[in-house]
Amino acid sequence: MSFSILLLISMVSHLIPVDASEAKIIFRKSLHTEIPYTYAADFPINITLGIHNIGTGSAYNLKTSDPWPRQYFEIDGETEAEFAEIKGGETLEHNFTVTPKFDATPEKPLLYVRGFSAELSFSRDEEGEDQTKALSTQMRDLLVRSKEDYIRFTAKHNTEWAVFGLGTTAAVFGPLVAYIMVSKQGGLPIPRSKKD
């Protein structure tokens, strides 16, 4: 956990000014799905763009942009956002949802989407003269499965588990029951302790 925070801070260290009274911005992009790191056609992916000001000064005229390829994703919400100001110690978030559109074929069973960053521009003064541009943390590459593969991959397999349980029960208790039945008919001696 602490390593990832240090890595995150080192990735945006060029944004941290020498003057301690200025804004120090960390821009993060994160993806959330029902099953982490599992993506499939027709299953939504929630995107969160987080802007964190770890400095004491304010940043102004913040604009985010996260362009997703519309030929592969249906977009619910706005991929761009604007904020007038972020004060020192504050966090701003922008959320939207993308849903992969993908028809698997034998030649192309997965859709590969290379990870990309969102963009942020902001100024350190209210007039907007000192413009700074930054990139968010880069999302990981996406391997999007077809809907059928996703359902097969995440299924609970109740029937298979029931058959396995019944087979295991028969394999364990079947010989024991057979031994007891034969022993009662006098075919096999019943083991007794040495005291008898």
Side-chain angles (χ1 to χ4, degrees):
M1 176 76 175
S2 61
F3 174 74
S4 61
I5 292 172
L6 289 174
L7 181 64
L8 180 65
I9 291 173
S10 68
M11 291 172 67
V12 293
S13 61
H14 65 281
L15 297 176
I16 300 177
V18 176
D19 184 1
S21 66
E22 288 189 11
K24 298 175 186 177
I25 303 295
I26 295 177
F27 185 35
R28 224 179 93 215
K29 176 180 182 175
S30 56
L31 284 65
H32 310 281
T33 57
E34 189 174 316
I35 299 175
Y37 310 118
T38 305
Y39 310 101
D42 299 329
F43 287 88
I45 304 169
N46 299 314
I47 313 297
T48 300
L49 302 178
I51 306 168
H52 311 278
N53 186 353
I54 60 172
T56 55
S58 294
Y60 305 93
N61 304 320
L62 298 100
K63 295 178 184 173
T64 65
S65 176
D66 191 19
W68 284 75
R70 292 191 183 272
Q71 69 267 30
Y72 299 117
F73 295 93
E74 291 178 11
I75 299 169
D76 183 19
E78 295 295 324
T79 59
E80 297 181 355
E82 294 185 13
F83 303 97
E85 177 182 6
I86 182 171
K87 295 179 180 175
E90 285 187 343
T91 297
L92 298 174
E93 284 188 352
H94 175 64
N95 300 299
F96 60 96
T97 301
V98 297
T99 304
K101 301 183 291 186
F102 172 60
D103 293 324
T105 62
E107 297 82 29
K108 190 174 182 181
L110 296 171
L111 171 66
Y112 173 77
V113 179
R114 185 166 177 82
F116 56 93
S117 300
E119 300 170 358
L120 170 69
S121 66
F122 64 95
S123 60
R124 298 186 191 282
D125 55 16
E126 291 186 65
E127 292 77 34
E129 295 175 9
D130 183 18
Q131 281 287 323
T132 303
K133 292 190 182 265
L135 296 176
S136 70
T137 52
Q138 183 171 328
M139 69 179 198
R140 65 186 305 141
D141 296 347
L142 301 181
L143 285 175
V144 180
R145 300 173 184 272
S146 69
K147 185 175 184 177
E148 294 77 20
D149 282 347
Y150 178 80
I151 291 170
R152 195 174 317 122
F153 178 71
T154 58
K156 304 242 187 278
H157 303 285
N158 293 334
T159 304
E160 291 87 344
W161 280 111
V163 170
F164 175 75
L166 289 173
T168 303
T169 302
V172 170
F173 292 110
L176 178 62
V177 170
Y179 178 78
I180 292 171
M181 298 288 285
V182 170
S183 296
K184 285 188 176 185
Q185 294 174 359
L188 294 174
I190 297 176
R192 303 203 188 275
S193 65
K194 292 182 180 182
K195 292 179 183 178
D196 293 343

